[in-house]
């Protein structure tokens, strides 16, 4: 069974640009969550999608948005990029709705975003 | 909002020594999950605890969930260099601790 796939693996952008990251969950998983990981800050929750609906949202500005498609694949968009957005963005999928279920999360390898 | 604190943030041990990381929540947790992230890798699910006072073992790893379901711990007996990584605790999707980075010297 293929794992969670994130594309691209690496991305370099400049301030003010926008970026779209993609996540394909494990087959059969309907929940997709996104996290930002920076040194010393751990895993900061961005948002969670289940059945094409955003179910939970973390404390990030509106520049961060996402969506989920009918095949459970998800995209995350960041507009007007800032230097502080440089981070590893991780996507995780699970069987149930993560926020209220006891299902373990399966993470992808992440997208390393660098802002110049 | 619900916060999960982990201590210590970092620990360096000699191979063969024991290691413990603690996870504390300001509110009662419905469950607690533990993940391990190797350097350069992604978090990998280790275990989930659900019941008050629950203790689970995986070889040299022992996981405990507090009676009040507000804290948890991960204890590694006789660490090995393969244990190197950052250990995260969290409640399902929304809340993760900042993790404890473990370095093991041979």
């Amino acid at each position: 069974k293929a794992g969670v796939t994130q594309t691209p693996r690496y991305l370099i952008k400049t301030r003010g640009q926008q970026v779209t990251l993609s996540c394909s969950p494990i087959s059969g998983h309907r929940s997709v969550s996104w996290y930002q990981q920076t040194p010393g800050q751990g895993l900061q929750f961005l948002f969670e999608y289940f059945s094409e609906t955003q179910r939970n949202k973390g404390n990030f500005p509106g520049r961060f948005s996402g969506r989920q498609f009918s095949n459970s694949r998800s995209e995350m968009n960041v507009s007007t990029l800032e230097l502080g957005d440089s981070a590893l963005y991780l996507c995780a999928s699970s069987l149930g709705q993560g926020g209220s279920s006891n299902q373990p999360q399966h993470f992808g390898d992440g997208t390393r975003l660098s802002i110049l | 909002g619900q916060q999960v604190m982990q201590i210590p943030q970092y620990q360096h041990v000699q191979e063969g020594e024991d290691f413990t990381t603690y996870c504390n929540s300001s509110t009662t947790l419905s469950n607690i999950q533990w993940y391990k992230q190797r350097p350069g890798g992604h978090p990998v699910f280790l275990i989930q605890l659900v019941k008050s006072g629950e203790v689970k073992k995986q070889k040299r790893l022992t996981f405990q969930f507090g009676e009040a379901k507000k804290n948890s711990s991960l204890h590694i007996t006789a660490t090995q260099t393969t244990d190197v990584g950052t250990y995260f605790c969290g409640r399902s999707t929304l809340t993760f601790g900042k993790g404890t980075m473990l370095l093991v010297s041979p």
Side-chain angles (χ1 to χ4, degrees):
Chain A
K1 206 174 194 182
V4 177
T5 304
Q6 289 189 248
T7 56
R9 291 293 311 276
Y10 303 93
L11 204 50
I12 299 175
K13 292 285 187 179
T14 56
R15 282 181 298 172
Q17 288 187 310
Q18 70 147 13
V19 67
T20 299
L21 311 181
S22 179
C23 173
S24 293
I26 291 173
S27 177
H29 285 193
R30 297 168 62 190
S31 174
V32 173
S33 299
W34 288 89
Y35 298 87
Q36 181 192 67
Q37 186 173 39
T38 53
Q41 292 301 312
L43 292 164
Q44 295 191 288
F45 172 71
L46 281 156
F47 26 65
E48 178 197 11
Y49 287 87
F50 182 80
S51 295
E52 302 179 66
T53 303
Q54 188 180 91
R55 301 293 176 147
N56 292 291
K57 189 177 189 303
N59 189 25
F60 277 81
R63 299 185 297 107
F64 293 81
S65 63
R67 59 177 175 169
Q68 186 179 35
F69 302 96
S70 57
N71 61 357
S72 294
R73 189 178 70 85
S74 178
E75 287 182 348
M76 189 191 98
N77 185 276
V78 188
S79 62
T80 319
L81 286 165
E82 301 177 358
L83 292 177
D85 296 334
S86 293
L88 177 66
Y89 290 88
L90 290 161
C91 162
S93 75
S94 64
L95 274 172
Q97 182 178 339
S100 59
S101 81
N102 288 339
Q103 297 296 324
Q105 296 193 75
H106 301 266
F107 285 82
D109 288 332
T111 294
R112 176 76 60 184
L113 176 63
S114 298
I115 311 302
L116 303 179
Chain B
Q2 190 170 69
Q3 291 188 339
V4 174
M5 308 298 291
Q6 261 187 277
I7 54 171
Q9 290 187 9
Y10 171 84
Q11 187 149 10
H12 185 181
V13 301
Q14 294 293 316
E15 191 171 23
E17 293 181 337
D18 291 356
F19 160 77
T20 304
T21 174
Y22 300 90
C23 183
N24 299 296
S25 172
S26 56
T27 58
T28 302
L29 300 167
S30 56
N31 65 73
I32 190 87
Q33 296 178 345
W34 285 91
Y35 293 78
K36 175 184 178 181
Q37 184 174 20
R38 294 181 185 272
H42 58 265
V44 174
F45 175 78
L46 293 176
I47 208 161
Q48 177 170 267
L49 305 172
V50 179
K51 299 177 183 177
S52 169
E54 190 170 14
V55 178
K56 287 188 177 181
K57 292 190 176 184
Q58 289 181 350
K59 298 182 180 178
R60 294 178 294 104
L61 277 61
T62 302
F63 303 84
Q64 292 188 323
F65 202 8
E67 294 290 340
K69 300 182 74 173
K70 287 187 175 182
N71 54 70
S72 180
S73 66
L74 158 59
H75 179 82
I76 301 178
T77 304
T79 55
Q80 300 175 358
T81 54
T82 53
D83 295 325
V84 165
T86 300
Y87 294 84
F88 292 96
C89 64
R91 178 191 74 85
S92 298
T93 304
L94 307 179
T95 308
F96 279 94
K98 292 187 178 182
T100 296
M101 183 184 295
L102 172 63
L103 181 61
V104 181
S105 295

